Amino acid sequence: MKTVTLPGGEKVSAMGQGTWYVGDDPALRNQEIAAINRGIDLGMTLIDTAEMYGDGRSERRVGEAIATRRDEVFLVSKVLPYHASLKGTVSACEASLKRLGTDCLDLYLLHWPGSVPLEETVEAFERLQQAGKIRHWGVSNFDVEDMETLVATGGGDAVAVNQVLYNLTRRGIEWDLLDWCQEEGVPVMAYSPVEQARLLREAGLFRLAGDLDLTPAQLALAWVMRRSHVIAIPKAARPDHVEENAKAAEISLSEETLAMLDRIFAPPNGPEALEML
Ligand code: NDP
């Protein structure tokens, strides 16, 4: 599996597994656990969840899925902005750890910018690190201005990733944030990389993927991962989808294919506010 290097030098899988809505349907339990484990077998060892997802149901399901192989996984969870005070972050993290059945998260993110001063959340992250409850911390849904505020508060050196919406139909970050993160050495974790499956129904993508003997998901994911500092975290609750997606990490797209994709899905031609899902 291709890797992306975090600021401290640690390498993580360039394709991970998202888990929004995982755990919501009891009938899907076995399939979801099988999908996550298939992903780990194939090297998609970074697993992304959040306290928000199903009010903790995603974390519980992930905890169940990785119970016997926690050490193989780079586990990511997120604190809601309205829990992100000094005390609130610590309690939210402890609750996440309990649901996940582990004593340490590999990466803990602020889910989106909120009203708690960033200094306070960063201090909470540092305390959690000192207590051995998280290894790295980062942010999510931060635009360039938010990243600059973070740097100004002294958190710029330690931020491990910025997780943002990025796929062929959501290219706004190519105007500024994507390069800003690369220049500052902050990996970008691309969420909803297949636009929650809506992208896979785009006729242009479907045709081009067919010509290249790829599936639409593989072409869309290989495109997201074409830059060396981008991690893609598709969610797939079906093991066959996981297997299909894992292959995308091995694909490198030609300049001609990239140009054809630019014709179908235009890059930004000016600054755009960061979109969120
Ligand atoms: P994705 O773009 O990952 O799309 C998920 C959907 O695509 C599912 O319905 C899945 O189906 C389907 N799918 C995946 N692979 C294939 C395939 N090969 N063929 C056909 N269908 C496929 O959307 P998400 O919004 O889930 O984003 C991924 C992850 O990013 C989330 O799960 C979450 O962890 C994170 N996220 C973070 C946010 C944030 O604010 N920080 C916001 C949104 C997401 P199936 O499940 O049936 O396999």
Side-chain angles (χ1 to χ4, degrees), residues 17-22 31 48-50 52-53 78 109 111-112 140-141 163-165 167 190-198 200 215 217-218 221 233-242 244-245 276-277:
Q17 305 188 63
T19 64
W20 197 8
Y21 300 114
V22 164
Q31 183 192 295
D48 178 78
T49 182
M52 187 190 95
Y53 301 159
K78 314 184 194 79
L109 308 179
H111 209 144
W112 63 87
S140 177
N141 296 300
Q163 183 180 118
V164 292
L165 176 61
N167 65 51
Y191 75 68
S192 308
V194 297
E195 186 64 18
Q196 301 184 327
R198 293 181 289 276
L200 309 178
T215 68
Q218 287 168 339
L221 291 169
I233 49 165
K235 176 258 178 183
R238 281 177 40 174
D240 59 326
H241 284 166
V242 171
E244 179 183 326
N245 296 348
M276 274 178 75
L277 283 183

Side-chain angles (χ1 to χ4, degrees), residues 59-225:
E59 289 181 324
R60 281 196 200 90
R61 185 63 44 87
V62 169
E64 247 189 302
I66 65 168
T68 59
R69 53 195 313 195
R70 167 70 186 93
D71 294 350
E72 292 173 64
V73 170
F74 187 92
L75 192 53
V76 186
S77 193
K78 314 184 194 79
V79 58
L80 284 163
Y82 39 88
H83 289 165
S85 62
L86 194 52
K87 274 193 177 166
T89 305
V90 173
S91 349
C93 181
E94 283 167 351
S96 287
L97 290 172
K98 200 167 170 202
R99 287 189 290 268
L100 284 158
T102 185
D103 52 12
C104 181
L105 289 173
D106 296 291
L107 176 61
Y108 199 34
L109 308 179
L110 173 60
H111 209 144
W112 63 87
S115 57
V116 175
L118 265 180
E119 293 89 332
E120 192 173 331
T121 309
V122 169
E123 191 181 335
F125 285 153
E126 286 167 351
R127 288 196 190 179
L128 285 166
Q129 269 178 322
Q130 282 151 16
K133 291 181 179 170
I134 65 172
R135 295 178 54 240
H136 305 277
W137 63 264
V139 292
S140 177
N141 296 300
F142 269 44
D143 210 340
V144 172
E145 207 177 304
D146 305 309
M147 292 305 285
E148 281 170 348
T149 308
L150 180 64
V151 170
T153 63
D157 291 341
V159 61
V161 305
N162 184 12
Q163 183 180 118
V164 292
L165 176 61
Y166 186 47
N167 65 51
L168 277 162
T169 60
R170 311 273 194 168
R171 298 185 61 171
I173 66 168
E174 286 171 46
W175 187 259
D176 46 14
L177 184 65
L178 197 58
D179 288 338
W180 188 98
C181 286
Q182 185 152 31
E183 279 153 25
E184 298 296 323
V186 181
V188 167
M189 201 181 278
Y191 75 68
S192 308
V194 297
E195 186 64 18
Q196 301 184 327
R198 293 181 289 276
L199 173 57
L200 309 178
R201 296 190 284 272
E202 294 275 343
L205 179 74
F206 193 84
R207 266 196 304 273
L208 183 56
D211 292 346
L212 296 167
D213 216 9
L214 300 174
T215 68
Q218 287 168 339
L219 180 53
L221 291 169
W223 179 86
V224 165
M225 297 168 70

Side-chain angles (χ1 to χ4, degrees), residues 35-56:
I36 289 173
N37 276 283
R38 189 72 190 116
I40 299 171
D41 293 341
L42 294 170
M44 295 160 72
T45 50
L46 184 151
I47 300 180
D48 178 78
T49 182
E51 61 168 337
M52 187 190 95
Y53 301 159
D55 277 332

